[in-house]
Amino acid sequence: MYTQGIRDIYQKFIMNYPTVSCHLSHVDTGQEIDTLLRNEADIAILVYPYDTIENNALEVRTISIEPMCLVSGLDSDIAKHENLSMKDFKDETLIVSNFPPSHWMDHVHESISPYFKNVSYVNNLDTVIVNLSLNQGIAIWPRIVVQDTQNYSKILNVPEFQYSTRLCAIWSKENANPNIQKFLRFCR
């Protein structure tokens, strides 16, 4: 729920279906699929392509295609520049989360890591956030996420960096809750 787009969908849904009781839950990054398969949630919204979505027990709907961007801490030296090229990262560290695993993101990291002085692999997305807030490197995030994290991160203007990701709704095929389909109508 940390993106305005998802909050807007949720708000429209509860306004149109005020008698439907919704409970929002946070699960650790990488645990979304297991949570669905254990029937502990009806639907998950993910802002990155999750490689294990190929599970035949799950349905996936792309809500939107979202641009990715390079981000830094607010007070980092590189954040002071208006326009950057990939060559400007030669003295910077690329911060990469090892979890959740994503072959798609591995490809993105591999394609841009030669532009960086080094790559720092961390255990989770929370550590990426801490490192960014301490101006200890650059990360790659969906633009919709960064728009709501502007208190500690800044989108860097790098015109040659052109990647995107999917915002997805995922649910179990066996889940008969009719409210899933109602919710999905607002995810367009």
Side-chain angles (χ1 to χ4, degrees), residues 4-72:
Q4 186 60 47
I6 295 172
R7 286 194 299 267
D8 291 346
I9 291 169
Y10 177 73
Q11 182 178 12
K12 288 177 189 175
F13 178 77
I14 61 173
M15 287 175 59
N16 282 276
Y17 297 100
T19 60
V20 174
S21 176
C22 294
H23 302 279
L24 303 176
S25 300
H26 170 79
V27 296
D28 290 335
T29 301
Q31 296 300 308
E32 302 92 344
I33 302 303
D34 290 338
T35 301
L36 288 172
L37 294 175
R38 289 190 310 264
N39 293 317
E40 294 173 6
D42 290 316
I43 194 165
I45 306 293
L46 303 178
V47 291
Y48 54 88
Y50 201 91
D51 297 337
T52 60
I53 289 175
E54 297 172 9
N55 186 317
N56 289 334
L58 300 173
E59 291 281 346
V60 180
R61 176 179 295 169
T62 297
I63 297 172
S64 63
I65 304 296
E66 299 293 333
M68 300 290 284
C69 57
L70 294 168
V71 296
S72 71

Side-chain angles (χ1 to χ4, degrees), residues 5 13 19 26-27 29 35 47-48 62 80 87 91 97-98 101 112 116-117 125 130 140 143 154 156 160 180 188:
F13 178 77
T19 60
H26 170 79
V27 296
T29 301
T35 301
V47 291
Y48 54 88
T62 297
K80 298 171 186 166
K87 294 176 185 174
D91 295 324
S97 173
N98 286 328
I112 70 164
F116 288 82
K117 180 179 180 179
L125 295 174
V130 169
I140 304 169
R143 184 174 291 273
K154 178 184 178 188
L156 302 173
E160 64 195 279
I180 293 172
R188 297 179 185 184

Side-chain angles (χ1 to χ4, degrees), residues 17-187:
Y17 297 100
T19 60
V20 174
S21 176
C22 294
H23 302 279
L24 303 176
S25 300
H26 170 79
V27 296
D28 290 335
T29 301
Q31 296 300 308
E32 302 92 344
I33 302 303
D34 290 338
T35 301
L36 288 172
L37 294 175
R38 289 190 310 264
N39 293 317
E40 294 173 6
D42 290 316
I43 194 165
I45 306 293
L46 303 178
V47 291
Y48 54 88
Y50 201 91
D51 297 337
T52 60
I53 289 175
E54 297 172 9
N55 186 317
N56 289 334
L58 300 173
E59 291 281 346
V60 180
R61 176 179 295 169
T62 297
I63 297 172
S64 63
I65 304 296
E66 299 293 333
M68 300 290 284
C69 57
L70 294 168
V71 296
S72 71
L74 291 176
D75 301 322
S76 69
D77 289 337
I78 202 154
K80 298 171 186 166
H81 299 278
E82 291 292 321
N83 293 304
L84 296 162
S85 82
M86 292 304 296
K87 294 176 185 174
D88 294 322
F89 296 102
K90 67 183 180 326
D91 295 324
E92 300 293 330
T93 297
L94 178 63
I95 307 166
V96 178
S97 173
N98 286 328
F99 197 81
S102 172
H103 298 300
W104 179 88
M105 281 304 292
D106 288 344
H107 166 72
V108 175
H109 291 134
E110 288 170 12
S111 68
I112 70 164
S113 63
Y115 293 99
F116 288 82
K117 180 179 180 179
N118 56 44
V119 178
S120 174
Y121 292 93
V122 297
N123 291 332
N124 55 50
L125 295 174
D126 293 333
T127 306
V128 173
I129 292 169
V130 169
N131 286 346
L132 279 177
S133 66
L134 296 173
N135 302 313
Q136 295 179 341
I138 309 297
I140 304 169
W141 279 351
R143 184 174 291 273
I144 59 171
V145 173
V146 183
Q147 290 171 344
D148 282 359
T149 60
Q150 292 179 4
N151 56 335
Y152 60 82
S153 66
K154 178 184 178 188
I155 296 173
L156 302 173
N157 184 19
V158 187
E160 64 195 279
F161 182 82
Q162 306 236 340
Y163 291 93
S164 60
T165 190
R166 297 179 299 153
L167 177 63
C168 297
I170 304 169
W171 65 98
S172 171
K173 290 179 181 178
E174 294 180 3
N175 191 325
N177 184 338
N179 295 314
I180 293 172
Q181 295 305 317
K182 291 176 183 176
F183 182 81
L184 292 170
R185 287 187 204 122
F186 293 95
C187 296

